[in-house]
Amino acid sequence: MAAYLCPPAVIHGEHAVKTSEIVAEVRDRHPHAAWAPRIDGIAASTGIESRGWMLPLEAAIAPGNGGGLRGVGLGSAQEALARDGFTQQDVDRMIAALEAIPGPQTVQERTAPAWEAVQSYGERAARGALQIAGLDAADIDCLITSNSTTPALPGLDIALANRLPLRNDVMLLPATQWACIAGTRSLALAADLVAADPDRVVLVVIAEALSTTYQPADDTLESLIVRLLFADTAVAAVVTGRPRRESVLRLDTAWHHTLPGTQDLHRLETRADGTHFVMDRRGPRAVQETVTAMWEWLRVRYQDDPDSWHPDVLLAHPGGTRVLEYMEQTMPDAWPSGLLDYSRDSYTSGNRGGAAVFDIMRRAHDAGQKSGSRAVLYAAAPGLTATALEGEWL
């Protein structure tokens, strides 16, 4: 399977949003929520003090351009008030008052600016990855893209094909629903593509504006957690079938696993006011099942050398720190400690979804990961599905 990965380019959201700002906004908007007395403790438990967004917090909490009558319609409201016997003067006064009430943003108002940002950040990440790899856009044979929170048609693949620009015979492979698994699954797909043609050059670009799931009107505990967790990031990397001077990681094999009957545990829902990320509290336990399955895959893969083989670094995006703790508790006792340090470090500035594994990889690279280190990359995503890769640092 051998595929060779150049260091990824990582572009963090440029607007720093502090946890204290989110807590203040939520507390002011939902002072009587059942979880309101515990909000400081909940926020502290995330371990995140600040995260980067592509757009400022003000863009997420601003009212829509239409007034309180947008959903009803001006004419319908006037007719209803007139039928109830109000004078025209009273009708005009009440209509004016209703129109002055700020309404929520629509899907278009919320998503359109984020989609523009996703394209811009994606382009920056792509150009950065090409520069790191010492390549030009004309050298790319295939482009794999992923962005789940800002759906569009044409998508990010077409946008980048025009912006970079790519050759007109480049294979475009958009994967808008990979979500958190985009990092590992895109690399697994790229590895298959270069295995079929070792001269092929694949560019992977993932750009996620997860802040679009920040929904001010929601007052559930799950919605509070979503607001506290997510960060915006664009990442990109070049994958080749032959080693290059710039290559830093060789990918040797991939593993995929899907749990039946778990499709409702995590999901995106598009409603009148935008995209909502819905979580079920059973989710972390389901993710843990995929971790257990991955340990078994690695055990079987190295069953002839069970005592001496172990990964030297785990680049893992399991969706949250609870599952990272589970990974540490269930990995073989003989494995060294600190395998998840870079994963934990990445989480201190937010959950980056599909971009997370590339961010974690970049942290390991910048820290000077030793040549010959065995690496395992893992991610789980709504579905519930997981993909892992195993390889060696060059």
Side-chain angles (χ1 to χ4, degrees):
M1 170 187 173
Y4 298 88
L5 179 65
C6 294
V10 180
I11 311 296
H12 301 291
E14 295 178 346
H15 297 275
V17 178
K18 296 180 180 179
T19 295
S20 58
E21 294 175 303
I22 293 175
V23 167
E25 193 278 325
V26 175
R27 178 181 282 124
D28 182 63
R29 193 179 296 270
H30 301 291
H32 304 298
W35 38 260
R38 298 185 290 126
I39 188 171
D40 290 321
I42 294 170
S45 70
T46 66
I48 303 168
E49 294 185 359
S50 182
R51 76 282 294 137
W53 284 3
M54 295 181 184
L55 300 172
L57 176 61
E58 291 74 21
I61 63 177
N65 293 324
L69 288 176
R70 177 161 51 188
V72 177
L74 178 61
S76 297
Q78 289 175 327
E79 291 176 7
L81 291 170
R83 283 197 305 269
D84 286 344
F86 290 99
T87 66
Q88 187 59 48
Q89 184 178 10
D90 290 336
V91 170
D92 292 343
R93 186 167 59 251
M94 283 185 279
I95 291 295
L98 290 170
E99 286 186 316
I101 299 174
Q105 296 182 52
T106 63
V107 175
Q108 181 180 12
E109 289 172 337
R110 188 66 190 278
T111 305
W115 168 233
E116 288 299 322
V118 162
Q119 294 175 81
S120 176
Y121 273 71
E123 179 185 357
R124 291 167 57 193
R127 292 187 182 280
L130 290 173
Q131 182 177 16
I132 290 170
L135 296 171
D136 297 320
D139 297 315
I140 300 302
D141 301 302
C142 177
L143 172 67
I144 301 173
T145 61
S146 184
N147 64 292
S148 301
T149 49
T150 48
L153 183 66
L156 183 59
D157 58 327
I158 297 294
L160 294 178
N162 284 278
R163 283 170 175 252
L164 290 176
L166 300 178
R167 301 191 321 263
N168 59 13
D169 64 342
V170 168
M171 182 192 306
L172 303 178
L173 295 174
T176 59
Q177 294 174 314
W178 274 346
C180 295
I181 210 170
T184 52
R185 192 154 292 177
S186 62
L187 292 178
L189 175 56
D192 286 342
L193 290 168
V194 299
D197 180 358
D199 292 323
R200 182 176 280 153
V201 178
V202 180
L203 174 64
V204 175
V205 182
I206 304 164
E208 289 287 17
L210 298 176
S211 58
T212 57
T213 63
Y214 190 109
Q215 295 298 340
D218 283 1
D219 63 355
T220 65
L221 177 60
E222 290 74 19
S223 177
L224 169 65
I225 294 172
V226 167
R227 280 182 275 216
L228 291 167
L229 289 183
F230 286 147
D232 296 347
T233 317
V235 296
V238 169
V239 181
T240 59
R242 305 186 193 279
R244 295 177 54 82
R245 179 176 57 85
E246 298 84 2
S247 302
V248 295
L249 181 65
R250 188 189 70 243
L251 303 174
D252 294 328
T253 188
W255 166 89
H256 306 282
H257 191 78
T258 300
L259 294 177
T262 58
Q263 64 269 23
D264 292 331
L265 295 186
H266 303 94
R267 61 190 187 276
L268 283 180
E269 292 184 354
T270 301
R271 304 174 189 170
D273 57 350
T275 302
H276 295 245
F277 186 74
V278 182
M279 297 191 304
D280 189 293
R281 297 182 186 182
R282 297 171 296 165
R285 186 168 296 277
V287 176
Q288 290 171 7
E289 291 186 42
T290 70
V291 172
T292 302
M294 180 182 65
W295 292 155
E296 178 62 14
W297 167 65
L298 290 171
R299 186 194 68 79
V300 172
R301 178 166 168 75
Y302 289 98
Q303 58 186 339
D304 295 333
D305 195 15
D307 296 325
S308 61
W309 184 89
H310 61 76
D312 298 294
V313 62
L314 272 169
L315 313 176
H317 177 64
T321 54
R322 284 176 56 190
V323 183
L324 286 176
E325 293 169 358
Y326 177 81
M327 294 180 76
E328 290 176 330
Q329 294 164 3
T330 57
M331 67 178 61
D333 293 337
W335 286 11
S337 61
L339 296 181
L340 290 164
D341 285 353
Y342 301 120
S343 301
R344 288 189 174 279
D345 184 52
S346 178
Y347 271 103
T348 62
S349 51
N351 180 328
R352 294 176 170 80
V357 165
F358 280 37
D359 176 66
I360 298 166
M361 188 190 318
R362 184 73 214 193
R363 292 168 190 264
H365 171 267
D366 291 347
Q369 192 66 35
K370 293 181 180 179
S371 175
S373 298
R374 299 301 301 186
V376 172
L377 292 67
Y378 162 86
L384 198 146
T385 184
T387 290
L389 302 108
E390 193 261 330
E392 182 175 308
W393 221 268
L394 302 176

